């Protein structure tokens, strides 16, 4: 019995030092070590090994992004920048955003980190790839060294990496901060001043249906003074018998003050708390990912598609079923092209196939559009109000796959530019300014294959279909 345990331990023993990569992936996926059969110690070793493997994979992700970024910027033609289109750097961010299904901001952060890890922070990149640090530590090192002079940044990075593998991200951040303050005090001060110049009041909705409100980038002494003052007043209330948790009192007090009450009035307002605030039952607040119920969303498919005639000419009663079939068919066609073409010809082949699909659907698309109210195409460039409302009802946001820009902040774009394109539901869709420019950037192509169904083609020959029932 005891020898069996010793053997099992040996199995994972050396892997504390086992570098991440294909071999570790095999060890981790091996059916031999059923987790239920492992000792506690072995389980922790498996967890640590999996984390190293994750770092390795993340290094790979960033290296691939850096390579693509170098290719795209290398191919950019020098000369006067054209403000109607996106720069190579901006456009590659949109490619990454669509491919990884992350927001434009998240993609920009990734591209930036990727560039730094193959450039000035190559040692940090190597540590990530070797599984000595994880992605959040790499981000911490990158963020803290960004505004330092080269020489100081190099020293801070080297010193940070010495201990990073045994420190938490918080410990690492504090250590880097001390190092930076010692090595480049002026740069640290200047960064602080610059951040304070960007101070702002931010607001964002949470998954719970509540809203957060935050004062960001205040001078540290101001923020602490305000916090201490509110805490002291809240403690006073608690002392006077307010049974609620300090956090709750503090928040309500701050709310009253921000509404414009003076402190005594705010205190008076809080003396009688509403009964549901009493800490009788602790309500758990869900902090899951932003839940979107797809079933509910797809139920609200757009009327123009619901009433559309099928390409064959048959009228479809209906719903998303026709749209799903159409999208399916397009997906299959493009996948077929992708699977049967030389890799270097992929972008051009996909662009041509998309063009053909768009042409093949032209007749049915026109019929579907006419069938609705016998008017296909309106005079003039600007859509009439009713048509505009229809377009806005169809898409609540910009129609780039990862964009969340609300429709009221978008242009209603003619997918095929007006003349030869028409002002019609089959040729209009909301685009934010950025993605309007992206659409015009060389290598990108946007088709409205069916009213409200947008087909994006990227420079690499990837495609994304955005439907009207996206949200
Ligand atoms: Zn039309
Ligand atoms: Zn957009």
């Amino acid at each position: 019995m005891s020898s069996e345990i010793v053997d099992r331990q040996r199995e994972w023993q050396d892997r504390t030092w086992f570098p991440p990569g294909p071999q570790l992936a095999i060890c981790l996926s091996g059916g031999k070590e059923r987790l239920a059969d492992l000792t506690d110690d072995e389980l922790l070793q498996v967890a640590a090994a999996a984390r190293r493997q994750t770092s390795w994979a993340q290094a790979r992700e960033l290296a691939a992004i850096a390579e693509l970024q170098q290719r795209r910027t290398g191919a950019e033609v020098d000369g006067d920048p054209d403000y109607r289109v996106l720069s190579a750097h901006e456009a590659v961010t949109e490619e990454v955003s669509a491919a990884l299904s992350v927001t434009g901001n998240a993609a920009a952060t990734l591209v930036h980190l990727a560039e730094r890890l193959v450039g000035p922070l190559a040692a940090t990149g190597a540590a990530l790839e070797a599984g000595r640090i994880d992605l959040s530590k790499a981000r911490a090192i990158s963020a803290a060294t960004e505004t330092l002079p080269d020489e100081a940044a190099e020293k801070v990075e080297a010193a940070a990496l010495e201990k990073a593998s045994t420190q938490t991200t918080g410990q690492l951040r504090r250590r880097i901060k001390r190092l930076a303050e010692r090595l480049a005090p002026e740069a640290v001060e200047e960064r602080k001043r610059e951040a304070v110049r960007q101070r702002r009041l931010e607001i964002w909705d949470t998954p719970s249906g509540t809203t957060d409100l935050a004062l960001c980038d205040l001078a540290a002494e101001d923020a602490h003074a305000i916090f201490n003052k509110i805490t002291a007043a809240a403690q006073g209330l608690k002392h006077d018998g307010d049974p609620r948790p300090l956090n709750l009192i503090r928040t309500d007090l701050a709310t009253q003050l921000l509404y414009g009450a003076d402190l005594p009035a705010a205190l008076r307002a809080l003396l009688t708390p509403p009964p549901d605030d009493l800490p009788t039952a602790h309500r758990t607040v869900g902090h899951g990912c932003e839940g979107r119920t797809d079933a509910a969303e797809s139920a609200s498919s757009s009327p123009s598609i619901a009433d559309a005639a099928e390409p064959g000419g048959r009228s479809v009663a209906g719903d998303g079923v026709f749209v799903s079939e159409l999208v399916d068919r397009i997906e299959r066609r493009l996948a077929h092209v992708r699977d049967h073409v030389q890799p270097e010809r992929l972008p051009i082949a996909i662009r041509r196939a998309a063009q053909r699909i768009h042409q093949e659907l032209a007749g049915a698309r026109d019929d579907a559009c006419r069938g609705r109210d016998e008017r296909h195409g309106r005079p003039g460039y600007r859509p009439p109000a009713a048509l505009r409302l229809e377009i806005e009802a169809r898409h609540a946001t910009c129609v780039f796959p990862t964009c969340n820009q609300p429709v009221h902040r978008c242009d209603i774009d003619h997918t095929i530019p007006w003349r030869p394109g028409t002002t019609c539901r089959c040729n209009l869709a909301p685009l934010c300014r950025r993605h309007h420019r992206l659409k015009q950037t060389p290598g990108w192509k946007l088709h409205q294959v069916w009213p409200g169904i947008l087909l994006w083609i990227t420079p690499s020959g990837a495609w994304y279909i955005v439907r009207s029932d996206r949200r």
Side-chain angles (χ1 to χ4, degrees):
M1 181 67 190
S2 75
S3 80
E4 194 192 328
I5 289 169
V6 168
D7 281 345
R8 275 195 203 144
Q9 263 175 348
R10 207 168 282 148
E11 210 145 22
W12 272 104
Q13 220 165 29
D14 297 337
R15 288 179 202 164
T16 312
W17 318 108
F18 209 102
Q23 267 182 298
L24 185 57
I26 291 167
C27 295
L28 283 167
S29 58
K32 212 174 164 192
E33 293 89 9
R34 280 199 334 131
L35 294 179
D37 295 340
L38 297 182
T39 65
D40 297 356
D41 179 50
E42 286 165 338
L43 283 177
L44 290 169
Q45 287 184 37
V46 170
R51 176 164 277 253
R52 285 202 297 286
Q53 188 70 11
T54 304
S55 297
W56 176 84
Q58 277 165 333
R60 203 74 192 140
E61 173 185 336
L62 289 164
I65 291 171
E67 173 68 25
L68 184 69
Q69 143 78 7
Q70 276 167 359
R71 248 179 237 181
R72 294 287 187 260
T73 47
E76 190 168 36
V77 194
D78 283 335
D80 281 343
D82 181 348
Y83 293 106
R84 288 165 304 170
V85 304
L86 294 186
S87 69
H89 190 275
E90 291 171 306
V92 78
T93 298
E94 299 303 325
E95 257 185 296
V96 169
S97 163
L100 305 187
S101 301
V102 298
T103 63
N105 281 341
T109 309
L110 279 175
V111 171
H112 181 65
L113 182 64
E115 281 180 290
R116 305 228 329 128
L117 293 187
V118 295
L121 296 179
T124 303
L128 183 67
E129 191 177 353
R132 289 198 300 277
I133 60 170
D134 61 19
L135 186 64
S136 61
K137 291 180 193 177
R139 281 190 200 281
I141 294 173
S142 174
T145 53
E146 188 138 35
T147 51
L148 300 181
D150 291 350
E151 203 187 327
E154 239 170 74
K155 284 185 184 155
V156 168
E157 184 198 18
L161 286 174
E162 274 169 27
K163 291 195 178 171
S165 58
T166 55
Q167 287 185 313
T168 67
T169 311
Q171 289 169 331
L172 177 65
R173 271 201 203 100
R174 285 192 289 279
R175 181 145 185 272
I176 297 175
K177 189 168 168 246
R178 285 197 301 275
L179 287 163
E181 279 166 355
R182 202 176 69 221
L183 288 164
E186 306 84 21
V188 170
E189 266 312 307
E190 177 48 36
R191 180 182 184 161
K192 206 183 288 175
R193 277 196 297 272
E194 181 50 38
V196 172
R197 277 196 284 272
Q198 312 282 332
R199 66 191 175 278
R200 69 220 170 266
L201 182 64
E202 279 196 9
I203 187 165
W204 61 91
D205 294 333
T206 75
S208 330
T210 57
T211 299
D212 289 346
L213 181 69
L215 292 164
C216 301
D217 279 321
L218 296 191
E221 54 280 16
D222 285 342
H224 282 285
I226 293 168
F227 190 82
N228 292 343
K229 190 171 173 179
I230 290 176
T231 301
Q235 269 161 346
L237 279 172
K238 207 165 169 52
H239 212 255
D240 291 346
D242 191 329
R244 301 173 308 155
L246 191 62
N247 250 335
L248 215 58
I249 306 177
R250 214 156 31 196
T251 307
D252 290 351
L253 201 52
T255 307
Q256 290 292 330
L257 292 171
L258 285 170
Y259 262 123
D262 57 15
L263 189 56
L267 290 171
R268 268 198 310 281
L270 288 183
L271 280 174
T272 31
D276 66 326
D277 270 357
L278 292 171
T280 44
H282 182 74
R283 266 185 302 170
T284 312
V285 182
H287 280 290
C289 56
E290 273 179 88
R292 297 206 320 215
T293 49
D294 283 340
E297 278 159 5
S298 49
S300 65
S301 74
S302 89
S304 65
I305 286 166
D307 297 342
E310 206 178 358
R314 261 184 308 131
S315 175
V316 287
D319 45 19
V321 175
F322 164 69
V323 172
S324 297
E325 272 172 14
L326 181 65
V327 168
D328 230 46
R329 243 180 307 159
I330 296 172
E331 289 277 6
R332 278 203 305 273
R333 271 272 288 276
L334 294 175
H336 181 84
V337 172
R338 180 192 56 206
D339 297 343
H340 291 85
V341 74
Q342 302 285 335
E344 62 277 10
R345 292 200 61 253
L346 180 67
I348 181 85
I350 293 291
R351 264 203 294 282
R352 281 191 188 147
Q355 182 67 39
R356 265 198 306 277
I357 290 168
H358 188 256
Q359 281 161 1
E360 282 167 26
L361 284 169
R365 189 169 51 230
D366 291 355
D367 289 349
C369 219
R370 257 190 217 102
R372 194 169 144 67
D373 59 3
E374 294 174 7
R375 288 193 69 186
H376 164 59
R378 314 294 170 113
Y381 174 78
R382 285 180 62 84
L387 181 57
R388 198 186 164 94
L389 284 176
E390 184 185 329
I391 303 302
E392 290 179 358
R394 203 163 68 178
H395 292 281
T397 62
C398 164
V399 294
F400 189 72
T402 60
C403 189
N404 284 321
Q405 202 64 248
V407 69
H408 63 87
R409 282 159 69 178
C410 291
D411 300 322
I412 301 297
D413 173 60
H414 286 72
T415 314
I416 298 173
W418 190 59
R419 297 188 192 276
T422 55
T423 299
C424 186
R425 69 178 66 82
C426 59
N427 193 44
L428 294 169
L431 278 180
C432 72
R433 280 290 148 83
R434 183 178 179 86
H435 293 122
H436 201 173
R437 287 165 66 212
L438 181 71
K439 178 195 161 195
Q440 292 164 164
T441 302
W444 289 81
K445 185 77 196 155
L446 177 63
H447 296 282
Q448 186 152 178
V449 288
W450 199 258
I453 304 183
L454 285 299
L455 171 62
W456 287 88
I457 309 293
T458 80
S460 69
W463 66 86
Y464 303 93
I465 300 176
V466 175
R467 296 166 52 161
S468 58
D469 52 12
R470 176 158 65 127
R471 44 181 49 239

